[in-house]
Amino acid sequence: MIKFRTRLLIGLLTLIITVLVGLGILLGQLFKSYYIDTYDGRLQKELNLLTIYIENSGGVGSIKSEDVMSISQSLNVRLAITNDQGFIVQDSDGLNQSGLNGLKENINEVIKEKLKKETKLVEHDEYDLHYSWKPIMKDGQREGYIFVITKTSELKKAYGQIWWILSISLGIALIAILFLGIRITARYTKPIEAATNVAIELAKGNYRARTKADELNETSALSTSINVLAQNLQQMAKAQEMQQDRLTALIENMGAGLLLIDSRGYINLVNKGYIDIFHVDAADYLDNLYYESIEHEDVCDLIVEVFRTERKVSKQLLLPLSIERKYFIVYGIPIIGSNNVWKGVLIVFHDITEIKNLEKMRKDFVANVSHELKTPITSIKGFSETLLDGAMNNKETLEYFLSIILKESDRLQSLIQDLLDFSKIEQHEFKLHIQDFDLVLLLREVFTLLDGKAEAKEISFEFEFSREQFFIQGDFDRLKQVFINLIGNAILYTPPKGQVKVSLFDHEKYARIHVTDSGVGIKKEEIPRIFERFYRVDRARSRESGGTGLGLAIVKHLVEAHHGNIVVRSNVGEGSEFIIELPKYVNEPGRGK
């Protein structure tokens, strides 16, 4: 590709050479015309003088050949004098026969045709002859003619000199113009080329490109404008990139699934939230029709409704995902641009499964609490009414009923206390009182508290530990509550003459406590639910023993509050094993939560 500077220089040189050549031709013609006119004028003056001289000397017949030769040599021309019929009377070059024949022919032509112009140019191979003539008058009558013949070699020589001078002048002028043109075009086109290169880089997206602007002229103004444009484009691109990054980060991390569908029904955008929720591949969605990619008919129906009504639509949908079912609030939002141009539909999925589960849990919790409170209150109320109706007059009946009322009151108090404890544990303000203590000592105290229950059922109660002292960090009272619940449950669900064993093992960064019993065991399908509030494996035995169904839920929360972990192993009829892992130091990462 030819550079702009070269094209400009070629154009300028072509224009200048054309002008100079035209000017040279015009000047040559002017010089030639001027020279010919001057030459013709001189010849006419000489002819006039010669005519006057011949007429004053007595006419054609009186002129002598010596005078003709003398005048011819003086003027450096050929002179010929003829009579009125064209007969040559005198000729300064009479010896040249070929020239004489040519002279006679031209003289006869001039006299016969009576040309109005008194000059004539006759061309020959070697040279050209220039004829000038004038009639000679005597007594008012034409007596003859005088002819002056000159060779035009001098004229051609003069032409050659004129063209040579013009050529040299034009050549020097062309060289000077070429030099100046290169300097000028380089000076003025270099900034333009630099600006063009910068503009090309800007078109490619390189907004860091700049051009230099040193001088204060028109080109520097162009360079400055290009630099300002580049700076503005760079700032705009940077701002757009930041905005795009923010928008992308917002869309990808908004915590909800999002689909963008254009006006033709093709999916243009799938965010990370949608991919994580539905476990799909974005390549199966992008640039595909929504009803070919989305498997759920309820979602497709919602999209169709938005397309049809062009209004915002929201629905609560229960969608099957693999082996589970999840609740979603799905919003369909029409996207309408300026001038009411339909752009497409935005679909947003909010997963409310956890909220639904919490709502269900809350309802179950209220129902369970109501049921658990209703039973002891009904018993207390019933026995109190019976006593008031007259049963209190019988001492044995009075003592029996009062013992039942006391038992139900204790059960009610235990339930309320467990509810209060559970409420405190679940509150964000709940804090553990961390201290260093001996875990062996804690377990011995629990043994002392529960040993009576074990002896009452003739249960073998064993405690196995690897060393006399085992210090860890934790809340002594809360952990004591944990083990009272676990070991108490083991004794409760173990039949008479069974076995309950507590083992303490030391692992590098944590302590492991095994509580094993030979009780009734737990079904595998019930194991994931035993830590739920108010869930009982054996409801009859739990109520009979005064259990509230909150013990294991409290145990799980307290263990996790210590960054620990609890695991259950059990088979029906073979007993159960609860394994608790507690970090030795609470500030170290636990192996549980």
Side-chain angles (χ1 to χ4, degrees):
M1 183 177 178
I2 301 176
K3 292 185 177 180
F4 171 72
R5 185 191 310 178
T6 305
R7 296 199 305 269
L8 179 61
L9 183 60
I10 292 173
L12 288 175
L13 289 179
T14 303
L15 177 61
I16 291 170
I17 290 173
T18 303
V19 172
L20 289 179
V21 171
L23 181 62
I25 294 173
L26 178 61
L27 289 176
Q29 293 298 325
L30 290 175
F31 281 131
K32 182 178 179 181
S33 299
Y34 175 76
Y35 188 81
I36 291 174
D37 292 341
T38 303
Y39 187 74
D40 288 341
R42 181 177 67 83
L43 288 179
Q44 289 297 324
K45 290 178 180 179
E46 291 174 354
L47 279 173
N48 290 334
L49 291 174
L50 290 174
T51 303
I52 295 170
Y53 174 75
I54 293 171
E55 289 178 351
N56 291 336
S57 298
V60 175
S62 303
I63 192 70
K64 297 179 181 179
S65 58
E66 293 84 0
D67 295 335
V68 173
M69 294 298 294
S70 176
I71 294 170
S72 174
Q73 292 176 359
S74 299
L75 298 178
N76 194 21
V77 297
R78 181 179 181 181
L79 291 178
I81 300 173
T82 66
N83 57 16
D84 190 31
Q85 284 76 29
F87 179 76
I88 298 176
V89 177
Q90 296 288 346
D91 183 8
S92 62
D93 195 18
L95 298 175
N96 189 348
Q97 189 63 35
S98 61
L100 182 61
N101 294 331
L103 178 60
K104 288 180 178 180
E105 293 177 0
N106 285 286
I107 289 174
N108 291 331
E109 183 181 356
V110 170
I111 293 173
K112 288 180 179 179
E113 295 183 2
K114 297 181 180 180
L115 300 176
K116 294 181 179 180
K117 191 175 180 181
E118 295 179 344
T119 59
K120 182 181 179 183
L121 183 64
V122 180
E123 296 179 355
H124 294 280
D125 295 333
E126 297 179 0
Y127 53 84
D128 297 335
L129 293 177
H130 184 271
Y131 288 85
S132 296
W133 63 88
K134 194 171 182 65
I136 301 173
M137 308 299 291
K138 186 177 180 180
D139 297 333
Q141 298 293 327
R142 184 173 59 197
E143 184 181 15
Y145 292 90
I146 181 171
F147 286 87
V148 177
I149 302 96
T150 57
K151 292 182 179 180
T152 58
S153 57
E154 292 83 0
L155 186 60
K156 289 185 177 181
K157 185 177 181 181
Y159 291 163
Q161 291 176 351
I162 291 171
W163 285 112
W164 178 251
I165 294 171
L166 287 175
S167 299
I168 293 175
S169 301
L170 294 177
I172 295 172
L174 183 60
I175 293 173
I177 291 171
L178 179 62
F179 176 75
L180 294 175
I182 293 174
R183 293 291 300 274
I184 292 171
T185 53
R187 179 180 179 183
Y188 286 97
T189 60
K190 187 175 180 180
I192 296 175
E193 290 178 354
T196 302
N197 293 332
V198 172
I200 292 173
E201 291 297 321
L202 293 178
K204 292 179 180 179
N206 180 18
Y207 300 127
R208 295 183 179 180
R210 297 291 187 274
T211 182
K212 295 182 179 179
D214 298 330
E215 302 178 1
L216 297 177
N217 50 32
E218 291 79 1
T219 55
S220 66
L222 175 62
S223 300
T224 303
S225 300
I226 289 291
N227 289 339
V228 171
L229 175 63
Q231 184 177 0
N232 292 338
L233 288 175
Q234 185 178 7
Q235 292 177 353
M236 290 174 61
K238 193 172 183 180
Q240 184 180 8
E241 184 178 356
M242 292 177 60
Q243 190 71 18
Q244 184 67 29
D245 291 341
R246 292 173 183 172
L247 182 61
T248 301
L250 175 62
I251 292 174
E252 294 297 330
N253 301 284
M254 63 187 300
L258 187 143
L259 287 177
L260 182 61
I261 303 171
D262 64 14
S263 58
R264 300 177 300 163
Y266 287 89
I267 300 174
N268 291 338
L269 175 66
V270 181
N271 77 333
K272 185 175 180 294
Y274 186 90
I275 295 172
D276 293 340
I277 291 172
F278 293 95
H279 305 289
V280 296
D281 188 357
D284 297 333
Y285 277 69
L286 293 175
D287 299 324
N288 292 329
L289 290 169
Y290 72 89
Y291 51 79
E292 294 178 353
S293 301
I294 300 175
E295 298 177 354
H296 304 96
E297 294 184 3
D298 293 339
V299 178
C300 293
D301 293 340
L302 184 143
I303 296 172
V304 171
E305 184 176 351
V306 177
F307 271 106
R308 186 178 65 253
T309 62
E310 297 185 5
R311 293 182 179 178
K312 180 180 177 181
V313 178
S314 63
K315 289 184 179 181
Q316 182 174 311
L317 303 178
L318 179 60
L319 303 178
L321 300 178
S322 185
I323 60 174
E324 49 183 350
R325 293 156 65 87
K326 288 190 175 184
Y327 290 91
F328 293 93
I329 292 181
V330 184
Y331 294 94
I333 305 167
I335 303 174
I336 301 175
S338 57
N339 299 325
N340 293 325
V341 178
W342 180 260
K343 297 290 186 180
V345 174
L346 181 66
I347 307 298
V348 183
F349 295 81
H350 289 287
D351 187 355
I352 60 170
T353 305
E354 187 174 351
I355 297 175
K356 283 287 185 181
N357 291 337
L358 289 174
E359 184 180 347
K360 182 177 181 298
M361 189 181 297
R362 179 183 61 82
K363 292 178 180 179
D364 293 343
F365 179 77
V366 172
N368 288 327
V369 168
S370 301
H371 181 72
E372 296 295 334
L373 291 174
K374 181 180 178 181
T375 301
I377 289 174
T378 301
S379 298
I380 293 172
K381 182 179 179 182
F383 285 111
S384 299
E385 289 175 349
T386 304
L387 289 174
L388 290 174
D389 287 341
M392 64 180 179
N393 296 322
N394 188 335
K395 186 177 179 181
E396 293 180 359
T397 304
L398 176 63
E399 290 179 355
Y400 177 70
F401 281 9
L402 287 176
S403 65
I404 294 175
I405 291 173
L406 179 61
K407 181 180 178 182
E408 292 297 330
S409 299
D410 290 340
R411 181 182 171 191
L412 183 61
Q413 183 181 6
S414 176
L415 174 62
I416 294 173
Q417 186 61 44
D418 284 347
L419 286 172
L420 290 175
D421 290 342
F422 192 77
S423 176
K424 290 179 181 179
I425 292 171
E426 284 195 327
Q427 289 177 359
H428 296 291
E429 293 80 6
F430 171 73
K431 292 183 180 179
L432 298 174
H433 300 286
I434 303 300
Q435 58 183 335
D436 293 333
F437 66 91
D438 184 4
L439 185 57
V440 175
L441 177 61
L442 183 148
L443 292 174
R444 286 186 183 277
E445 289 185 7
V446 174
F447 260 70
T448 301
L449 291 173
L450 300 177
D451 188 53
K453 288 184 178 181
E455 286 183 0
K457 297 179 68 174
E458 299 180 0
I459 292 175
S460 173
F461 199 18
E462 298 181 14
F463 179 30
E464 178 185 2
F465 52 92
S466 59
R467 58 190 189 187
E468 292 295 330
Q469 290 183 325
F470 196 122
F471 284 92
I472 65 171
Q473 288 184 344
D475 190 323
F476 184 89
D477 294 331
R478 294 296 183 181
L479 288 177
K480 186 176 181 179
Q481 183 181 1
V482 167
F483 291 112
I484 289 174
N485 269 288
L486 282 180
I487 299 173
N489 283 342
I491 295 172
L492 174 64
Y493 288 99
T494 300
K497 298 183 180 181
Q499 182 180 6
V500 174
K501 182 179 180 181
V502 178
S503 305
L504 174 61
F505 299 99
D506 183 7
H507 290 264
E508 294 179 357
K509 293 184 179 181
Y510 59 92
R512 178 178 287 177
I513 303 95
H514 295 248
V515 179
T516 309
D517 63 65
S518 59
V520 295
I522 306 170
K523 295 180 181 179
K524 289 185 178 180
E525 59 269 18
E526 290 184 331
I527 289 177
R529 301 193 61 191
I530 62 175
F531 295 104
E532 293 180 6
R533 289 168 286 190
F534 297 109
Y535 186 82
R536 296 185 180 90
V537 176
D538 189 343
R539 293 183 179 272
R541 183 172 298 182
S542 295
R543 285 206 178 91
E544 188 177 320
S545 62
T548 62
L550 292 173
L552 288 180
I554 294 174
V555 166
K556 184 174 186 295
H557 277 78
L558 289 176
V559 171
E560 290 180 347
H562 282 80
H563 304 289
N565 189 28
I566 183 167
V567 179
V568 181
R569 298 172 183 170
S570 181
N571 291 311
V572 176
E574 298 180 5
S576 303
E577 182 181 19
F578 286 78
I579 303 171
I580 297 176
E581 293 179 348
L582 294 173
K584 295 180 181 179
Y585 304 98
V586 176
N587 57 352
E588 290 187 5
R591 296 175 58 86
K593 189 174 179 179

